[in-house]
Amino acid sequence: MNKRISGYRQSETMQGTISARTPESPVLQCLLFLGVFLVAMLVESAPPTMLAFPYMMAQLLISHVDLSDSAAVMAFSTSFTLPGWLVAMQLFCTGLATLITVVYCTDVERRPLRSLGFARKNALRDYLTGAALGVGMIGGAVLVGVSTGSLEYAGSSLRGNGGVFFLLLGWMVQGMSEEVMFRGFFCNSLVRKCNPHVAALISGIAFALAHMANNGKTLLAIPNLILFGMFAAYYMYRFDSLWGICALHSFWNFAQGNLFGIKVSGMSLDVTALRFVSKEGRELIHGGLFGLEGGVGVTIMLLIGIGLLLFTGEQAEKRKV
């Protein structure tokens, strides 16, 4: 048992929950999380949906797709690429979910921001380190794809009129939103009464279930999403801070979609600096229509990441003795 992780209940983050009104029952906490999650998703999705639906219908008509042919509509929606401005709007709207989660935790459960993992010490350093690791890890998955012949480099021209840099800000909002909800709120609430490993697994499963509606899911997509959720929890445990994993999550998505030009959890983007083309028949490696997160390359990177977090955490505890 990793002492660093098993001792997370004594961390500064968890000390902030001592006087909070967080439910004692893990089951009740799961139900409350589900309620907050559903409200947050409804609020954040309303503005972009009101624009995305008529835009997609217009594109269906322009492309002369037979709306009575469900197979044709499904094929169109699978290959449909969202315009950069609509993606940016979706990403920035996730900030509403962050706001709802923070308000619930601070005003209803009376939890300080520190209990969500928002450490003041070394926040900038942790964020920049996480950003570098996010790009490096997804870059490692791309390298696995290229080295196995599953991905092919197809150009380096910047497409999307430079909007790639504006989208980076959107991914920073989106990555933080999911980490605040699933790790800062849910996982840290569970750790009060659950083993930290169990809390990491439960929050990882919840994270994966939240992506069930995404297009192009593969055999490895859900296991990889669970692994990412667990990796994110261990990262938060290891550094007793949410800043690093917020940045890692944000720059992982940004690099995958807008740097390497690969689908992000089934979502296609038209704003990218580089382009990598997936080879047919190699979906197990590159993840097919779901993107790298549905393939073996990401599995390898996440397993290495979890192993390193557990190992370095144990070594850090030994140095304290």
Side-chain angles (χ1 to χ4, degrees):
M1 178 68 73
N2 189 291
K3 293 181 180 179
R4 181 114 183 169
I5 290 176
S6 61
Y8 184 65
R9 284 200 187 94
Q10 285 70 52
S11 67
E12 288 186 31
T13 295
M14 294 310 298
Q15 291 303 304
T17 66
I18 291 177
S19 59
R21 297 176 182 174
T22 303
E24 295 295 322
S25 168
V27 174
L28 180 56
Q29 185 58 60
C30 288
L31 293 175
L32 285 172
F33 166 76
L34 179 60
V36 174
F37 172 78
L38 292 176
V39 170
M41 292 303 100
L42 181 64
V43 172
E44 80 164 39
S45 64
T49 298
M50 287 189 291
L51 289 177
F53 181 73
Y55 179 83
M56 185 172 180
M57 290 302 297
Q59 295 303 309
L60 281 166
L61 294 174
I62 292 172
S63 301
H64 303 291
V65 176
D66 184 359
L67 299 181
S68 64
D69 186 346
S70 59
V73 173
M74 180 61 69
F76 176 85
S77 62
T78 301
S79 61
F80 180 68
T81 300
L82 291 172
W85 64 267
L86 186 52
V87 174
M89 183 178 184
Q90 288 181 324
L91 296 178
F92 281 110
C93 281
T94 61
L96 296 173
T98 302
L99 179 62
I100 289 171
T101 304
V102 170
V103 168
Y104 170 79
C105 289
T106 57
D107 290 3
V108 178
E109 294 194 357
R110 301 295 184 184
R111 291 169 55 172
L113 283 175
R114 185 65 177 90
S115 72
L116 296 174
F118 287 118
R120 293 183 181 180
K121 185 178 180 181
N122 300 321
L124 180 59
R125 183 200 66 185
D126 289 348
Y127 195 89
L128 293 176
T129 300
L133 287 172
V135 175
M137 288 181 71
I138 204 66
V142 170
L143 183 61
V144 170
V146 172
S147 63
T148 57
S150 302
L151 290 177
E152 182 178 280
Y153 179 61
S156 60
S157 60
L158 180 62
R159 297 184 296 129
N161 300 320
V164 64
F165 302 108
F166 180 67
L167 280 169
L168 171 58
L169 298 177
W171 285 120
M172 291 170 70
V173 174
Q174 186 270 344
M176 174 174 285
S177 173
E178 292 193 346
E179 291 309 316
V180 167
M181 180 165 289
F182 287 96
R183 257 61 68 178
F185 168 33
F186 190 39
C187 187
N188 278 335
S189 296
L190 292 174
V191 170
R192 295 180 73 239
K193 292 297 177 181
C194 293
N195 179 288
H197 295 283
V198 174
L201 176 60
I202 294 174
S203 67
I205 292 173
F207 179 72
L209 291 176
H211 292 77
M212 285 296 290
N214 292 36
N215 293 326
K217 290 184 295 296
T218 64
L219 184 65
L220 282 175
I222 299 304
N224 277 350
L225 288 168
I226 294 173
L227 276 178
F228 184 90
M230 295 184 69
F231 167 78
Y234 287 139
Y235 197 103
M236 178 180 65
Y237 296 161
R238 172 69 178 83
F239 299 103
D240 192 21
S241 172
L242 199 67
W243 292 113
I245 192 57
C246 283
L248 191 151
H249 192 153
S250 296
F251 281 78
W252 166 295
N253 285 343
F254 167 74
Q256 184 175 197
N258 302 118
L259 179 58
F260 297 118
I262 298 170
K263 290 189 176 184
V264 182
S265 298
M267 181 172 66
S268 298
L269 305 170
D270 69 348
V271 181
T272 178
L274 308 176
R275 284 194 305 125
F276 284 84
V277 178
S278 303
K279 295 291 188 67
E280 287 190 27
R282 301 292 183 89
E283 288 77 13
L284 184 64
I285 305 296
H286 59 63
L289 295 176
F290 196 75
L292 290 173
E293 291 162 349
V296 170
V298 161
T299 308
I300 293 171
M301 298 310 299
L302 289 174
L303 289 175
I304 291 174
I306 289 173
L308 287 174
L309 288 171
L310 294 175
F311 176 76
T312 58
E314 189 67 32
Q315 296 304 305
E317 286 302 305
K318 287 181 179 179
R319 287 193 292 270
K320 289 182 178 180
V321 178

